[in-house]
Amino acid sequence: MNSPEMTNEIFMNEADLYREITFTDNRIGTIRQMQPITTEGEDDTQRPSRFFGTAQLMTPAGALPLAFEIPADNLKEAAEAFDEHAQEALEETMREIEEMRREAQSSIVVPGAGGGGQGGVPGGMPGAGGGFGGIKMP
């Protein structure tokens, strides 16, 4: 049985077509303008353009990609608002990373915890944390 969300049909929505136009300063990032178009490829003046920014922040762990929508009516407004929305995207990404860290730390399994004996291994040596000399294994 297929739910309404699950379908094997793949089709292009002709009423929601866009032309993608890319702008960059070759320094900090990219702005993508999604220009609505008709099925004939002409600009659709009944729908507004949408703007999206992308940037990469270098960290000790490597490049951290940022992607965000920029509410704007034109390219000039999008360029002026780029920094603000990139900063918001960075802050949101850092919150998400911190939440993932907390979740990962709370899901660490301690050998022998709740399962009796010497760390769950016959002849094992209990230590700080309930087994294996305090080493916590995932």
Side-chain angles (χ1 to χ4, degrees):
M1 213 186 315
N2 285 343
S3 69
E5 296 83 29
M6 299 289 291
T7 181
N8 291 331
E9 296 178 31
I10 299 175
F11 64 94
M12 181 74 69
N13 182 353
E14 293 178 7
D16 199 27
L17 296 175
Y18 289 85
R19 175 184 306 116
E20 182 175 334
I21 308 166
T22 304
F23 305 93
T24 184
D25 67 353
N26 282 324
R27 185 181 64 87
I28 199 74
T30 301
I31 295 174
R32 291 177 24 240
Q33 178 181 0
M34 303 302 287
Q35 174 64 46
I37 60 169
T38 66
T39 54
E40 291 79 29
E42 301 298 322
D43 287 353
D44 183 348
T45 58
Q46 302 301 312
R47 298 182 291 148
S49 289
R50 297 177 68 193
F51 294 90
F52 298 89
T54 58
Q56 287 188 356
L57 177 68
M58 292 308 295
T59 71
L64 176 65
L66 301 173
F68 46 93
E69 186 163 2
I70 306 171
D73 292 327
N74 55 54
L75 180 59
K76 182 178 187 325
E77 288 179 13
E80 290 171 349
F82 185 93
D83 295 346
E84 173 188 349
H85 293 283
Q87 186 63 39
E88 289 172 5
L90 174 61
E91 290 168 5
E92 177 62 25
T93 300
M94 297 309 289
R95 281 191 295 272
E96 290 175 7
I97 289 171
E98 189 56 37
E99 179 62 28
M100 287 189 301
R101 277 190 195 137
R102 278 194 295 275
E103 288 175 10
Q105 288 175 343
S106 68
S107 67
I108 293 176
V109 176
V110 179
Q118 308 285 322
V121 177
M125 294 176 43
F132 299 112
I135 298 174
K136 297 179 182 178
M137 307 275 296

